Amino acid sequence: SFADGIGLWRAEQAARARAGLQQMEIRESGWLRVYVRKRPLFEEEASAGEFDVVTAHGAPAVEGGRQVKRGPCTQVSVHVCLHKPDLKRMFIKTLTFAPTAAFGERATSAEVHSAAAAGLVQRALEGGVGTLFSFGQTGSGKTHTMQGTQQQPGVNVLALREAFAAAAAFDASGRRSCSFSLGMVEIYNEGLFDLLPANPGGGGVFSFSSAAG
């Protein structure tokens, strides 16, 4: 079956990683970085007979046959399941991509934040600028990654906590004070919508200061 074939491919990749044959560095150079996060199958998808066709793999550091550094993967592969022209013989075409980093289905939003967003927060605190843009089809996990839940907050919440904690430390030390402005927009059906309008009929930006809490 296709699922068995994908499982065999994954087992071979795991064996290569344990043997130290699959090592790549996480690329952090350049101003544009691409991170990929894979979501697990939902229970209803598995119950319907659907199977997983995406693999995040490539350990960033392997030594002595074991992974010694926990961190993002370095590659993501998509397994395209096809039939020969006779519609009987099956084959799998695997397409592998090398983003800046990839996160498997067991990765947490905190791990995604640490790799993809923490540096942007630090740069902003130093006076720089940066943008984190989440892209994916409906149901791919964008809201879960960016917003999260109370038990497992997403990247947005973690980044704000980090920024306000740093601002509070600046205020307490007397070195400087920080102010924040927040704008929220939605891109939907080729339209740009302001989600924080100053009035129901117009656009605006909600502003607040760390000194005021």
Side-chain angles (χ1 to χ4, degrees), residues 37 109 141-157:
R37 186 182 191 184
S109 294
K142 300 184 300 297
T143 300
H144 175 75
T145 295
M146 302 306 293
Q147 180 174 324
T149 64
Q150 288 187 341
Q151 294 74 23
Q152 298 184 18
V155 171
N156 284 345
V157 177

Side-chain angles (χ1 to χ4, degrees), residues 164 179-184 194-199 203-209 212-213:
F164 278 107
S179 62
F180 296 85
S181 63
L182 174 67
M184 185 176 293
D194 187 348
L195 300 183
L196 296 175
N199 56 72
V205 177
F206 173 70
S207 299
F208 50 92
S209 171

Side-chain angles (χ1 to χ4, degrees), residues 11-69:
E12 292 174 348
Q13 295 301 307
R16 288 176 57 84
R18 287 193 297 270
L21 300 177
Q22 190 186 63
Q23 300 182 46
M24 293 182 66
E25 295 295 329
I26 300 294
R27 294 183 303 280
E28 296 185 349
S29 61
W31 60 273
L32 178 62
R33 302 177 185 180
V34 178
Y35 298 88
V36 177
R37 186 182 191 184
K38 171 191 172 183
R39 76 156 173 84
L41 285 178
F42 295 138
E43 290 185 6
E44 57 267 26
E45 293 172 332
S47 299
E50 298 184 25
F51 52 92
D52 186 357
V53 297
V54 177
T55 303
H57 59 102
V62 177
E63 182 178 297
R66 63 185 181 88
Q67 185 172 340
V68 297
K69 177 183 176 183

Side-chain angles (χ1 to χ4, degrees), residues 16 19 28 37 58 63 92 96 110 113 124 129 165 178 189-190 195 211:
R16 288 176 57 84
E28 296 185 349
R37 186 182 191 184
E63 182 178 297
I92 300 172
T96 298
H113 165 75
V129 296
C178 297
N189 283 345
E190 300 184 2
L195 300 183

Side-chain angles (χ1 to χ4, degrees), residues 1-10 38-55 77-83 90-94 105 137:
S1 68
F2 286 129
D4 290 338
I6 295 172
L8 179 61
W9 185 92
R10 288 173 175 155
K38 171 191 172 183
R39 76 156 173 84
L41 285 178
F42 295 138
E43 290 185 6
E44 57 267 26
E45 293 172 332
S47 299
E50 298 184 25
F51 52 92
D52 186 357
V53 297
V54 177
T55 303
S77 294
V78 179
H79 311 286
V80 184
C81 302
L82 302 167
H83 283 88
M90 301 182 297
F91 70 100
I92 300 172
K93 182 178 181 180
T94 297
E105 60 270 33
Q137 68 187 63

Side-chain angles (χ1 to χ4, degrees), residues 74-137:
T74 55
Q75 296 175 303
V76 59
S77 294
V78 179
H79 311 286
V80 184
C81 302
L82 302 167
H83 283 88
K84 296 287 187 179
D86 59 14
L87 300 182
K88 295 181 180 180
R89 292 173 295 166
M90 301 182 297
F91 70 100
I92 300 172
K93 182 178 181 180
T94 297
L95 306 176
T96 298
F97 305 91
T100 303
F103 302 88
E105 60 270 33
R106 297 182 181 179
T108 65
S109 294
E111 291 175 310
V112 177
H113 165 75
S114 177
L120 294 179
V121 174
Q122 182 61 38
R123 177 167 296 191
L125 292 170
E126 295 171 352
V129 296
T131 300
L132 182 63
F133 183 79
S134 179
F135 178 81
Q137 68 187 63

